[in-house]
Amino acid sequence: MSQRRGNPWIVMVTLCIGFFMTILDTTIVNIAIPDILEDLDATISEVLWVMSAYILVVAVLVITAGRLGDIVGPRKVFIAGMILFTVASALCGAAMEPWQLIAARALQGIGAALITPQTLTILTGVFPPEKRGLPSAIWGITAGVAGLAGPTLGGLLVAEGNWRWVFYVNVPLGLVTIAMAVALIPDVRPDKRLRLDITGVVLASAALGAITYGLLEGDRYGWGTITSFLSIPVVIAAGLVLLVVFLATQARVNDPLMPLGIFKDRGFSLMSFVIVAVSFGMMGLSLTLTIYLQQVLGLSALQAGLTLAPTALAMMFSFPVVGFLIDKIGGKYVLICGLALYPVSLALIGNMARTDSGQWSLLGPLILAGISQAAAFAPTVTMAMQDVRTEFAGAASGAFNAIRQLGFLIAVAAMGAVLQSRLTSELHGEAERQAAQLPGEFREGFVDAVTSAGGSIDAGAGDVRLPAGASGQLAQQMREIAQSVFDQAFVGALRFTLLACAAVVVVACLLSFAAKRPDPAKAPTAEEELALM
């Protein structure tokens, strides 16, 4: 084993397993929500915090954790994070009360925050700049596949066991990764002695905490008042003000938590926007299709997860081809092709979605989405980190991951708002059109009832309160029409939302033309990189 210590490719495998686990736990829990509600007798609010606690803690701490790796060594921080994440996963699975599960999820989030930035930092340390292309691409693919695999793997675990296995599955994986990390990962800390900027930690944590909380809880409070004078806009605005103060202080300290110089690098800044844009596409697709497959097509959670699985599989299996193309034509042009094809796949899915579609009717565009995501993800990290100096690797990795995490949250909030707004509009128009089938005296009441029931994106005909006097055969007819209205309206809202996502990705595609192309003379081929083994 000692002969393999420091082997960059084995180190990369170890890091990617840990990174995969942290991303997987962002989405795998969603599929288990109904079972958690029933088994723990939890409220909707408590279950939402089971998901939110993890995301909130990761977003708040990831920048600090990145800099901490620069100071005490990324190997130590990665191992500490893996131990904490594994223990917290076991506690999540053993939880008997909602508050216990929420607390364990927050602890799991601390572990994930410690792990995530160290993965890029260590990769930057064990691979020289001219040989980082392939490992960085694998890192990016790992993030994409993990996010897409969550619903499918979660559905299988819940179907074959129970919701607790969504967390218990991390324990054996975590133990193996800890053993590999202790035995195989070298110490790659920079020679320069650094100090932790405590003021920066407080300001960054408060700023990211406020912004993340506002984005997570905005929909719950209707983007309005939380209590008394406190409202979601006030919380987000306070977070933005603190963020400005944080950035201002970073320009004046000797050892900043986040060196602002990293944003002067064109590649880092552009790729930060690209990763946010890709998050919009991924979340828009995941959000709309998860509801569409279950609410409109009537598939079970497991069936819906399996329907989406081809996207993750296509992404994974297309990677060797993407890697070959990066070697031949450069990461910039592979990225542009991926960002150009992804909107096409989103538009095709929106155009092909019907209320009577079969389970596999969207297979073609879902595979195209996976291939295009592979092409978009693979070069992004390489192009972001290629010119970052070693002593700034942890800070840059923390910043990049914080931007990715906030991009994910902004995408969830924005696409959820777009979908809800469009659904409300579509419901009213569709209800008026189909109300023509009803007796005249019931039409207006039916339209009002259907429109009022559309208060959430997962509402359905069962939420409609029929007009007074509707009973028997007429009531049954109204319910059938209401279901048709909801199905048609959601498909219309899905199309609009996916087109909005596609527009964001198109902007990223156009901006990517401004990215620098790495010097081909310095870029190794795939064979040369594999020769490092």
Side-chain angles (χ1 to χ4, degrees):
M1 187 71 77
S2 60
Q3 293 179 344
R4 296 181 180 271
R5 186 182 182 90
N7 181 302
W9 292 98
I10 296 178
V11 169
M12 183 202 69
V13 170
T14 306
L15 297 172
C16 284
I17 295 173
F19 184 48
F20 183 91
M21 292 166 64
T22 65
I23 301 297
L24 186 72
D25 268 57
T26 304
T27 58
I28 196 173
V29 179
N30 299 7
I31 210 80
I33 287 175
D35 296 76
I36 294 173
L37 276 168
E38 182 179 353
D39 190 41
L40 296 185
D41 194 24
T43 65
I44 291 292
S45 177
E46 287 171 332
V47 170
L48 289 176
W49 269 104
V50 169
M51 297 185 293
S52 301
Y54 180 83
I55 298 171
L56 178 64
V57 172
V58 172
V60 167
L61 296 181
V62 71
I63 289 180
T64 300
R67 200 53 167 166
L68 191 63
D70 285 338
I71 295 170
V72 304
R75 177 180 181 270
K76 290 180 180 178
V77 178
F78 178 83
I79 293 171
M82 282 304 312
I83 293 171
L84 189 58
F85 186 88
T86 304
V87 171
S89 296
L91 292 174
C92 286
M96 302 304 293
E97 298 287 343
W99 70 266
Q100 294 174 350
L101 182 54
I102 294 169
R105 280 286 280 172
L107 193 64
Q108 198 182 37
I110 297 174
L114 293 173
I115 293 166
T116 301
Q118 315 317 322
T119 56
L120 268 184
T121 305
I122 296 171
L123 281 180
T124 302
V126 298
F127 287 94
E130 70 276 9
K131 300 185 188 303
R132 291 175 189 162
L134 185 57
S136 296
I138 293 173
W139 185 93
I141 294 292
T142 299
V145 171
L148 293 170
T152 304
L153 182 57
L156 287 170
L157 290 170
V158 172
E160 296 299 322
N162 57 51
W163 67 266
R164 297 180 186 277
W165 282 101
V166 166
F167 300 107
Y168 282 146
V169 71
N170 290 325
V171 176
L173 274 176
L175 292 174
V176 169
T177 307
I178 292 166
M180 292 175 68
V182 170
L184 302 172
I185 295 179
D187 191 352
V188 293
R189 80 177 77 184
D191 295 331
K192 183 180 178 182
R193 189 175 182 84
L194 301 169
R195 294 183 299 113
L196 187 63
D197 175 20
I198 301 299
T199 302
V201 169
V202 173
L203 287 172
S205 299
L208 293 173
I211 294 170
T212 305
Y213 178 86
L215 292 172
L216 284 171
E217 294 291 286
D219 187 59
R220 176 185 172 191
Y221 291 104
W223 301 96
T225 302
I226 299 173
T227 179
S228 184
F229 67 91
L230 195 62
S231 67
I232 292 295
V234 168
V235 170
I236 293 177
L240 292 173
V241 170
L242 287 170
L243 186 61
V244 171
V245 174
F246 165 70
L247 293 175
T249 61
Q250 294 302 283
R252 295 184 174 89
V253 296
N254 293 327
D255 291 324
L257 186 66
M258 188 174 71
L260 299 183
I262 60 177
F263 291 101
K264 294 179 181 178
D265 179 73
R266 186 170 61 188
F268 185 88
S269 297
L270 281 174
M271 292 308 104
S272 295
F273 177 79
V274 167
I275 202 71
V276 171
V278 174
S279 294
F280 267 79
M282 288 186 67
M283 287 314 304
L285 185 61
S286 175
L287 176 66
T288 55
L289 283 190
T290 299
I291 299 172
Y292 166 74
L293 293 171
Q294 295 183 68
Q295 296 281 358
V296 178
L297 299 189
L299 301 182
S300 67
L302 178 57
Q303 288 174 321
L306 292 174
T307 304
L308 296 173
T311 302
L313 292 173
M315 189 177 188
M316 186 168 56
F317 286 112
S318 62
F319 171 70
V321 177
V322 170
F324 173 79
L325 290 174
I326 290 174
D327 283 343
K328 292 298 181 183
I329 64 175
K332 174 179 177 178
Y333 298 113
V334 172
L335 173 67
I336 290 171
C337 289
L339 293 175
L341 285 174
Y342 197 26
V344 174
S345 69
L346 296 176
L348 285 173
I349 290 169
N351 185 59
M352 294 171 65
R354 300 284 189 276
T355 58
D356 58 351
S357 296
Q359 181 178 357
W360 303 107
S361 59
L362 300 177
L363 181 61
L366 285 174
I367 290 174
L368 178 61
I371 295 170
S372 57
Q373 284 178 25
F377 265 114
T380 302
V381 180
T382 309
M383 295 171 68
M385 300 292 288
Q386 64 186 359
D387 294 326
V388 174
R389 286 155 47 190
T390 302
E391 64 267 29
F392 292 153
S397 176
F400 190 76
N401 278 288
I403 291 167
R404 179 180 58 80
Q405 198 76 26
L406 283 175
F408 170 83
L409 293 171
I410 293 169
V412 170
M415 291 301 99
V418 169
L419 181 62
Q420 179 61 67
S421 174
R422 190 65 183 183
L423 179 59
T424 301
S425 174
E426 293 276 348
L427 273 174
H428 186 78
E430 189 65 26
E432 285 187 330
R433 187 179 70 80
Q434 295 204 35
Q437 304 173 56
L438 298 172
E441 64 270 24
F442 289 100
R443 292 174 185 174
E444 184 177 350
F446 174 79
V447 172
D448 291 341
V450 170
T451 305
S452 299
S456 65
I457 56 179
D458 58 351
D463 300 301
V464 176
R465 300 181 65 178
L466 298 180
S471 60
Q473 187 175 356
L474 177 60
Q476 180 61 31
Q477 182 187 13
M478 283 188 174
R479 291 190 186 94
E480 291 174 357
I481 294 174
Q483 187 60 58
S484 175
V485 168
F486 272 98
D487 291 348
Q488 294 287 355
F490 189 85
V491 169
L494 174 148
R495 289 172 180 158
F496 183 87
T497 304
L498 290 183
L499 286 176
C501 294
V504 175
V505 179
V506 167
V507 172
C509 179
L510 295 175
L511 288 176
S512 296
F513 281 94
K516 291 192 301 182
R517 184 182 181 186
D519 185 355
K522 296 181 180 179
T525 65
E527 290 78 9
E528 289 172 332
E529 294 204 25
L530 291 171
L532 286 172
M533 298 180 69

